[in-house]
Amino acid sequence: MAAHRASRALAVLLLVPALALAPSAVGEPDPEGAPEPAPPSASAGIVIDYRVDGVNRVAKFGSDLTIGPGALSAEIDLLAGSITGQLELPASAGYFLSFGFVPTTSRVDLIPVNPVLGTIEEGQVTATALITIRLGDVVVGGQPLDVGADCRTVEPAVLELSGPFDLVAIPMEATFTIPPFTGCQGAERLDPLLTGLVSGPGNGVELTLTAQL
């Protein structure tokens, strides 16, 4: 399957210059009486599976959260300059210092919402990913903190990713805001605490997409 997708990718790369050199593109007349050629019926899109690795820097903690390895199944149309992908990310183990000195660990689930949509233009790719952030297994200062089963952001975080386009490896980055939290209800309601500790602007993410050919 990977070899088949790699051959499709190569075919599309070879198709682009071929289109540019077609007779109609350089102004050569069609043979007299020849019928108009039918438009191509095949899609110019190719599907490539990428491994996704990265790091998320949480602004309020000043510490990094390792992301991945995850996966992105991307359909890329080089002629239209578009990319659509299904993103999957595993849970991450976070280590932070709450209030600047209290060791805190947590399971962080990054849950993609809807497909990733992007464009390719002048050698650059830009894409939007919507990610709901969910927390679990929180331990503060060695003591478990009951945040309930559905402690998550009230809405998805919006990641406007960008970077240089390459079919084989795509580095991308974004700065984004972590929305407030809701559903953080165990023995007591902890939404305000976690919102104050985690939510806010200026968070960074760096991702590397590596084609699995």
Side-chain angles (χ1 to χ4, degrees):
M1 179 66 71
H4 176 66
R5 287 176 175 164
S7 65
R8 290 179 63 194
L10 180 59
V12 171
L13 290 176
L14 294 174
L15 173 63
V16 174
L19 289 174
L21 295 176
S24 59
V26 295
E28 294 183 11
D30 292 333
E32 184 176 352
E36 290 290 331
S41 58
S43 169
I46 56 174
V47 176
I48 300 180
D49 292 331
Y50 289 94
R51 170 176 167 147
V52 180
D53 298 278
V55 63
N56 169 208
R57 186 159 188 83
V58 182
K60 284 191 173 180
F61 290 128
S63 58
D64 294 340
L65 175 73
T66 300
I67 299 174
L72 176 71
S73 180
E75 181 173 355
I76 301 172
D77 190 328
L78 295 175
L79 299 183
S82 66
I83 180 170
T84 303
Q86 296 292 338
L87 179 63
E88 296 180 4
L89 296 173
S92 298
Y95 175 83
F96 315 102
L97 290 177
S98 300
F99 310 106
F101 65 92
V102 181
T104 302
T105 59
S106 172
R107 185 193 77 247
V108 182
D109 297 319
L110 303 174
I111 306 169
V113 179
N114 298 330
V116 176
L117 300 176
T119 58
I120 305 166
E121 185 175 359
E122 297 181 351
Q124 294 287 311
V125 56
T126 59
T128 301
L130 304 180
I131 307 290
T132 295
I133 303 171
R134 186 170 62 197
L135 303 178
D137 301 332
V138 179
V139 177
V140 179
Q143 298 298 316
L145 186 65
D146 186 2
V147 299
D150 193 27
C151 179
R152 56 183 171 76
T153 50
V154 296
E155 60 187 7
V158 181
L159 278 60
E160 298 289 355
L161 296 155
S162 63
F165 177 70
D166 186 298
L167 277 176
V168 177
I170 309 175
M172 306 186 77
E173 61 182 24
T175 300
F176 68 100
T177 295
I178 297 178
F181 282 83
T182 187
C184 307
Q185 180 74 53
E188 56 184 315
R189 182 169 172 266
L190 298 174
D191 298 345
L193 173 63
L194 292 170
T195 295
L197 285 176
V198 183
S199 301
N203 306 282
V205 63
E206 296 180 1
L207 299 176
T208 299
L209 279 57
T210 306
Q212 304 298 285
L213 301 176

